[in-house]
Amino acid sequence: MWLPCGCTSKYVASSFARRILASHLHVSGRSRCNVAAFMPEAAGFEGVSGRAALRELSVSNSESFWAAVARHRLSWSIPFHTVQDCDLSRGKIKWFEGGKLNVSVNCLDRHVHTCPERVALIWERDERGSEMKYTYRELLEMTCRVGNLLRRHGVKRGDCVTIYMPTCPLAVASMLACARIGAAHNVVFAGFSADALAERIRDAQSSTVITVNQGVRGGKVIELKKTVDTAVESCPTVKQVFVAMRTDNPVTMTARDIAMEEEMLKEDVVCEPAVMNSEDVLFLLYTSGSTGKPKGLVHTQAGYLLYAALTHRYVFSYHDGDVFGCVADIGWITGHSYVVYGPLANGATTVLFESTPIYPDPGRYWDMVERLKINQFYGAPTAIRLLLKYGDQWVNKYDRSTLKTLGSVGEPINTEAWEWYHRVVGDGRCPVVDTWWQTETGGICIAPRPSDPDAEIVPGMAMRPFFGIKPVLIDTEGELLTSNNTSGALCMAQPWPGMARTIHNNHQRFIETYFQPYPGYFFTGDGAYRSEEGYYQITGRLDDVINVSGHRIGTAEIEDVVNQCPAVAESAVIGYTHSIKGQGVYAFVVLKKGIDVKEADLSRQLNGMVSEKIAKYASPDFIQFAQRLPKTRSGKIMRRVLRKVVESDLEGLGDLSTLDDPAEDDWSISDSLGQN
Ligand code: 6R9
């Protein structure tokens, strides 16, 4: 694995980078009105008093708001001429057109210019106590070497590079290197199976894959290169695979494989950044929908980066010099926005967490908080619920006095977990921000902060929309619900810069999924309740997507795999409430006539198939064999009935906590943490 050598200072800003830096330095330093102290970006809005008023303005005068923020927070080589050109009824979203910039320059060069020796990454490796630090200068050099390497091997602007790596510095450098040379990246979570990886490589039409020889997680070695070998067999587009070394164990290299570190050494540490248009593609990220194959959501350059940076700064009250600890895997959107892009755009020190919350023991997170002096900790409810069960002593052993804000993401956080997080982890003194957002939204949309520092926070509620976000609730008739104390489908009435632009190769599906259900609005797929006070609480998905340990998975995707078993006639998968994972997977299976197999054997086989074709976390917790499935007259499976059956029978399901034996779990609970 690429190590910081601490000795090369050959970095010289390229001419393009220098121009960008000049434009950045030019715009800073104006401050006149009373919100300016809180948000210097808003200094131009005179007479706006307080954060609530600023929020109002960000919605009522969203163009001026986003223009001011974009000029201030990003470094442009050419300024934009049009703030936005959006039409939600047609799924058309464009921000900052005319503007040119480079995302890697924004995340690296400008910080190298002002504080080259500031630590950019702390890699909290799986092996406890072996963390490694990389300065902004070192990360820029590493990124430039990867950028040059990719260019030398023919990767061009507009190509898409698939990254199948654990959370590590070289993965971050690879993402930024793509951004530097104008290629899009497609990070595939390293817990996905070969089939799932292959599907994503094919859909993205990648000719280049970057991976590691082996991953290490929770003390176990994971054969990632072997998975890539299997995957690319069915991917004719793949011409080359770069293989980095996470462990010392050699792996079989084929003609298309390239030893990454060895080749990087031959490259220069200066790499001319591509001058990108605001709306050029930055990355694809696949996520599950209620039907069909996973969709490759497309995020573009300027709007995404701006939104990730702004939410990172204000939702978590991040300040210069803070150490930001988001334990998400880079394979998910949380890793993209709050491990990589948001923190690095803000010049933060960001933690790359490679391990699991219970390795080598349930004190891992808090030991890390003490050792790395983490100021903001951002994780998933499923991990909190798991750790809560191990008891307070694992938390109290460690000094957590550096913590200022605690964040939660990925799924609803129940009151018990929220209170434990707040009282035990945060010693009752750190605000807990329950952040609601999605792969589609690019960044946090609803969260208790920013707001006045002493404004109330209600446990288990995401509460307040972020700047520029206008949530609405709509009933089943399509009517806008204007009063409070009401529930409905959560939609957004206004576009914002961080939202996804399309589904790769399928704009029609993008429109049908997000913009047709409620014309004129972006439909999130979630339901929400708005309290008497106007605060939002997410009530869960309204479609057939379930959320297992914070991982989205379409029930149809699991059914597809189960139905491939020759013994199976049909199946129906539903989610049920699970005490640790949030939701578990429950599969009803109808066998073909005349099949005579032992149910236990078949269950094992089906579980194996789902793990192999999708990922371990998608594997059913329960498989129930049935004579038939309840259906409507038109032949639709009545999932509502099945859910009722499962819920009323939950008592009879036995002790659910036994499912969570951490020793059994590798890619389900552990990745959850993972997810966020
Ligand atoms: C960031 C992320 C998105 C779905 C989303 C919702 C659920 C996320 C939540 C939450 C309740 C929260 N979700 N955060 N539900 N409270 N704070 O998780 O993206 O993987 O795309 O999942 O997760 O159902 O629609 P993604």
Side-chain angles (χ1 to χ4, degrees):
M1 181 53 62
W2 191 253
L3 304 178
C5 60
C7 58
T8 41
S9 58
K10 255 174 76 187
Y11 169 74
V12 185
S14 65
S15 56
F16 171 59
R18 254 189 260 118
R19 256 185 291 132
I20 288 193
L21 289 170
S23 80
H24 175 68
L25 296 174
H26 204 70
V27 293
S28 56
R30 310 180 233 127
S31 153
R32 283 215 313 278
C33 93
N34 50 0
V35 289
F38 158 66
M39 192 179 192
E41 293 93 336
F45 300 116
E46 291 181 47
V48 176
S49 61
R51 298 174 200 200
L54 184 59
R55 221 205 68 73
E56 286 300 314
L57 177 133
S58 72
V59 173
S60 62
N61 195 352
S62 96
E63 281 211 18
S64 315
F65 175 82
W66 288 116
V69 171
R71 282 192 199 104
H72 187 105
R73 202 152 270 274
L74 297 184
S75 296
W76 300 85
S77 62
I78 296 181
F80 51 90
H81 52 62
T82 307
V83 182
Q84 60 138 322
D85 179 12
C86 302
D87 178 356
L88 290 187
S89 63
R90 293 194 294 129
K92 177 184 173 199
I93 304 133
K94 287 179 194 289
W95 286 86
F96 310 122
E97 277 184 301
K100 291 188 191 289
L101 79 174
N102 183 282
V103 165
S104 80
V105 169
N106 273 273
C107 289
L108 299 172
D109 304 53
R110 58 179 176 165
H111 310 311
V112 171
H113 190 75
T114 53
C115 47
E117 299 311 316
R118 178 183 290 178
V119 174
L121 309 178
I122 308 180
W123 183 21
E124 173 72 2
R125 291 156 25 110
D126 193 53
E127 304 85 351
R128 167 141 79 179
S130 69
E131 70 270 13
M132 296 175 73
K133 297 183 177 174
Y134 296 72
T135 65
Y136 270 93
R137 182 178 52 75
E138 287 163 342
L139 181 58
L140 174 60
E141 288 177 4
M142 200 190 329
T143 300
C144 285
R145 285 183 195 265
V146 180
N148 288 328
L149 180 65
L150 293 174
R151 268 191 183 142
R152 179 156 64 85
H153 284 269
V155 177
K156 292 187 298 300
R157 187 182 168 122
D159 289 352
C160 178
V161 174
T162 294
I163 299 175
Y164 186 70
M165 298 171 103
T167 299
C168 62
L170 203 45
V172 176
S174 299
M175 294 164 77
L176 293 169
C178 289
R180 193 155 194 96
I181 66 171
H185 58 69
N186 165 33
V187 181
V188 178
F189 172 55
F192 276 122
S193 66
D195 280 11
L197 171 62
E199 192 177 0
R200 286 157 175 77
I201 293 174
R202 281 196 301 267
D203 191 77
Q205 295 144 306
S206 280
S207 55
T208 302
V209 177
I210 308 180
T211 190
V212 296
N213 62 337
Q214 296 175 317
V216 186
R217 197 176 166 105
K220 289 186 204 150
V221 167
I222 306 150
E223 301 290 348
L224 296 182
K225 163 72 163 66
K226 279 195 187 143
T227 306
V228 172
D229 285 344
T230 312
V232 299
E233 271 169 28
S234 60
C235 300
T237 52
V238 174
K239 296 201 178 60
Q240 52 194 357
V241 178
F242 291 94
V243 184
M245 298 294 283
R246 169 58 180 89
T247 66
D248 293 334
N249 306 327
V251 282
T252 317
M253 298 288 273
T254 68
R256 71 176 163 246
D257 298 332
I258 300 162
M260 189 164 183
E261 287 98 336
E262 234 172 276
E263 291 301 308
M264 276 171 70
L265 278 176
K266 300 178 187 160
E267 300 296 339
D268 198 353
V269 294
V270 177
C271 173
E272 184 68 22
V275 183
M276 303 302 288
N277 300 310
S278 294
E279 283 299 339
D280 286 337
V281 175
L282 178 62
F283 64 84
L284 316 185
L285 188 59
Y286 284 82
T287 190
S288 294
S290 51
T291 54
K293 289 182 185 308
K295 44 202 174 188
L297 286 159
V298 173
H299 283 282
T300 56
Q301 314 265 328
Y304 168 80
L305 187 67
L306 176 68
Y307 197 71
L310 203 73
T311 46
H312 169 254
R313 163 69 184 83
Y314 291 104
V315 171
F316 299 99
S317 298
Y318 163 80
H319 285 93
D320 241 15
D322 285 348
V323 177
F324 190 78
C326 168
V327 289
D329 190 284
I330 49 149
W332 309 111
I333 190 69
T334 308
H336 281 57
S337 301
Y338 301 108
V339 174
V340 182
Y341 288 112
L344 294 179
N346 289 335
T349 297
T350 183
V351 174
L352 310 180
F353 185 69
E354 191 186 36
S355 194
T356 84
I358 49 172
Y359 180 74
D361 60 49
R364 178 61 186 258
Y365 278 168
W366 324 120
D367 166 56
M368 174 177 78
V369 165
E370 177 182 300
R371 238 182 321 110
L372 309 186
K373 300 189 172 28
I374 290 174
N375 301 113
Q376 290 89 11
F377 181 88
Y378 193 26
T382 184
I384 303 303
R385 286 191 293 264
L386 178 66
L387 295 177
L388 176 160
K389 293 207 192 289
Y390 283 96
D392 300 5
Q393 72 277 14
W394 290 106
V395 186
N396 291 332
K397 257 175 97 170
Y398 299 101
D399 176 11
R400 288 154 286 110
S401 58
T402 52
L403 286 175
K404 294 192 283 192
T405 307
L406 298 172
S408 168
V409 62
E411 42 169 331
I413 179 161
N414 50 311
T415 313
E416 187 194 8
W418 192 99
E419 281 180 339
W420 186 80
Y421 201 25
H422 182 250
R423 180 176 52 81
V424 180
V425 176
D427 271 332
R429 56 175 188 81
C430 303
V432 172
V433 290
D434 174 12
T435 64
W436 176 88
W437 60 295
Q438 317 175 289
T439 307
E440 292 83 344
T441 68
I444 295 163
C445 287
I446 308 182
R449 296 285 189 263
S451 54
D452 291 326
D454 50 359
E456 74 165 331
I457 296 184
V458 182
M461 263 201 171
M463 299 183 79
R464 305 177 175 98
F466 188 71
F467 294 120
I469 297 294
K470 190 176 176 190
V472 291
L473 299 180
I474 303 184
D475 70 13
T476 44
E477 311 295 306
E479 291 298 320
L480 205 60
L481 296 161
T482 49
S483 59
N484 283 350
N485 192 13
T486 186
S487 298
L490 178 66
C491 296
M492 298 295 167
Q494 265 180 212
W496 65 100
M499 66 194 296
R501 303 302 195 250
T502 188
I503 291 173
H504 179 62
N505 275 340
N506 203 344
H507 194 62
Q508 193 49 37
R509 185 174 177 197
F510 184 64
I511 294 173
E512 282 165 13
T513 311
Y514 303 108
F515 302 97
Q516 269 176 8
Y518 302 98
Y521 298 95
F522 166 82
F523 173 46
T524 65
D526 279 315
Y529 163 73
R530 188 168 53 226
S531 72
E532 206 57 78
E533 298 78 16
Y535 300 144
Y536 288 88
Q537 178 168 35
I538 311 304
T539 49
R541 299 288 307 188
L542 297 173
D543 53 15
D544 290 324
V545 171
I546 58 178
N547 193 323
V548 180
S549 304
H551 300 314
R552 267 166 76 159
I553 179 83
T555 51
E557 277 177 75
I558 304 175
E559 289 162 10
D560 247 21
V561 175
V562 170
N563 295 347
Q564 281 170 29
C565 174
V568 171
E570 61 176 346
S571 64
V573 168
I574 57 162
Y576 69 92
T577 307
H578 185 285
S579 66
I580 303 279
K581 299 197 279 192
Q583 281 189 299
V585 179
Y586 199 114
F588 289 87
V589 174
V590 179
L591 296 181
K592 285 182 185 151
K593 292 259 169 320
I595 295 284
D596 182 24
V597 281
K598 274 209 187 116
E599 289 187 350
D601 291 345
L602 191 57
S603 293
R604 221 169 295 121
Q605 187 190 344
L606 294 175
N607 277 315
M609 284 173 71
V610 176
S611 302
E612 208 175 284
K613 301 247 179 233
I614 308 175
K616 214 164 167 182
Y617 70 80
S619 188
D621 299 283
F622 289 99
I623 296 179
Q624 185 165 325
F625 293 94
Q627 292 303 318
R628 71 189 75 81
L629 299 173
K631 289 190 183 165
T632 60
R633 276 189 173 188
S634 60
K636 272 193 161 185
I637 296 170
M638 293 161 78
R639 286 163 203 284
R640 215 168 10 91
V641 174
L642 293 175
R643 267 183 227 117
K644 275 255 155 64
V645 169
V646 170
E647 272 159 27
S648 61
D649 201 31
L650 260 185
E651 306 287 290
L653 293 177
D655 179 10
L656 297 184
S657 63
T658 58
L659 296 170
D660 307 312
D661 178 358
E664 286 291 311
D665 241 19
D666 42 278
W667 288 105
S668 49
I669 281 294
S670 48
D671 319 319
S672 53
L673 308 311
Q675 154 70 337
N676 307 276

